[in-house]
Amino acid sequence: MVPAEILTQDQIRADTARVFGLRPCVGQIKATAAQLKKTSDVVYISGTGSGKTLTFWMPMIYEKDSITILITALSVLGQQSADTLCETGIPAINVTRTNAKVQTFEAIRKGSYRLIVVNPELLIHDSRFDRKIVRSARVLHL
């Protein structure tokens, strides 16, 4: 991993375009740099359709061993995120009632996924989302 202090805005923009095929704006680049520095929590507020999702994908380019839990009530957004990351080679899963099976949680505990998408209800009520899983990950709420 390249230390966050060394990454330039141009490098983050170029890496994002190479991996995701998208050109991030300055705000997304600054939010990514702040996430990578890990000196504080990052709150990123922007309008619908403005690219918040890309903003949480971007650090995954640099943090090869990171695990992110995305909490979203929007099942379509969750599935799109998991599908897109899988297409770029970043292992991801959208955990739903349908696939919330023993094998899924075994794979999550083994670190098979870098992005785990889940809706709030399943996260709260399914005891297999134990504290160890949640504490080891970067948790995002959309």
Side-chain angles (χ1 to χ4, degrees):
M1 180 175 116
V2 177
E5 300 80 34
I6 296 175
L7 291 170
T8 65
Q9 287 189 9
D10 288 338
Q11 183 177 2
I12 293 171
R13 180 176 286 117
D15 291 341
T16 302
R18 177 181 47 79
V19 173
F20 299 117
L22 299 167
R23 187 175 190 275
C25 69
V26 172
Q28 291 168 311
I29 293 168
K30 288 182 177 181
T32 297
Q35 290 175 74
L36 292 170
K37 286 181 184 172
K38 298 182 187 328
T39 55
S40 67
D41 291 338
V42 175
V43 176
Y44 186 77
I45 301 170
S46 67
T48 301
S50 62
K52 291 180 292 292
T53 302
L54 179 62
T55 304
F56 77 75
W57 291 349
M58 292 164 60
M60 293 182 199
I61 298 170
Y62 306 102
E63 298 178 329
K64 303 296 184 190
D65 295 326
S66 69
I67 296 172
T68 300
I69 298 175
L70 170 62
I71 303 168
T72 181
L74 305 172
S75 59
V76 172
L77 176 64
Q79 192 59 54
Q80 287 174 343
S81 291
D83 291 346
T84 300
L85 288 181
C86 285
E87 290 169 11
T88 65
I90 297 173
I93 187 168
N94 182 30
V95 181
T96 64
R97 292 205 186 284
T98 306
N99 69 359
K101 310 263 187 257
V102 172
Q103 303 91 313
T104 299
F105 286 94
E106 286 174 359
I108 289 171
R109 281 190 191 85
K110 289 179 185 173
S112 299
Y113 304 106
R114 299 222 6 247
L115 175 70
I116 302 160
V117 183
V118 63
N119 70 49
E121 187 176 306
L122 190 61
L123 180 66
I124 292 169
H125 296 296
D126 193 318
S127 63
R128 294 172 294 183
F129 272 108
D130 57 37
R131 289 186 176 152
K132 185 177 179 184
I133 291 173
V134 175
R135 265 191 266 149
S136 67
R138 180 169 49 128
V139 178
L140 304 164
H141 306 267
L142 286 184

